[in-house]
Amino acid sequence: MFKFIIILAVIFYILPKLIKWALKGFIVTQVNKAQQDMRHQQKAYQTQQKREGEIDIDFVPKKNGKKSENFGGGEYVDYEEVK
C-alpha cells in the first residue's frame, strides 16, 4: 500500500512540476531563438533599404574591346515633327 501512495504522489505532485519546468525551458529557448531571427531579419531589411538619392548598380557590362571609333553609323529614320 505504501508503494502505491508513493507512486501516486510522484504522478500527481512531482511529475507535473518536472513537466512544467521542462516546458518552460523549451519555451524560453524558442522565444529567444525567434527574437534573434527577427533581429537578423530587421537588420537585413534595414541594410537593403536605399536612402533618397542613392544609386545602386546591380550589373556592369564587360567591355568587349570594341571602341566607339569603329562605329560606322546606325540606321537613320526620318521623322516629322508634330505640333
Side-chain angles (χ1 to χ4, degrees):
M1 184 70 179
F2 187 68
K3 281 184 178 180
F4 180 72
I5 294 173
I6 299 256
I7 291 173
L8 282 177
V10 167
I11 290 174
F12 289 112
Y13 184 72
I14 296 173
L15 193 60
K17 289 188 178 193
L18 287 175
I19 291 173
K20 183 178 178 181
W21 176 74
L23 284 177
K24 184 178 178 182
F26 176 74
I27 290 171
V28 167
T29 57
Q30 292 301 315
V31 167
N32 288 339
K33 183 178 177 185
Q35 287 177 346
Q36 186 178 16
D37 289 343
M38 288 300 292
R39 279 190 223 113
H40 179 69
Q41 287 178 356
Q42 184 180 18
K43 186 176 180 181
Y45 178 73
Q46 288 175 348
T47 58
Q48 286 178 350
Q49 285 183 328
K50 296 180 193 174
R51 294 183 188 151
E52 186 175 341
E54 186 175 309
I55 299 173
D56 186 22
I57 300 174
D58 292 333
F59 174 73
V60 178
K62 295 180 182 178
K63 295 183 180 180
N64 293 335
K66 295 181 181 178
K67 296 182 180 178
S68 61
E69 298 170 0
N70 297 336
F71 183 68
E75 183 177 328
Y76 295 99
V77 178
D78 292 332
Y79 70 96
E80 292 182 20
E81 189 175 330
V82 178
K83 292 186 179 183

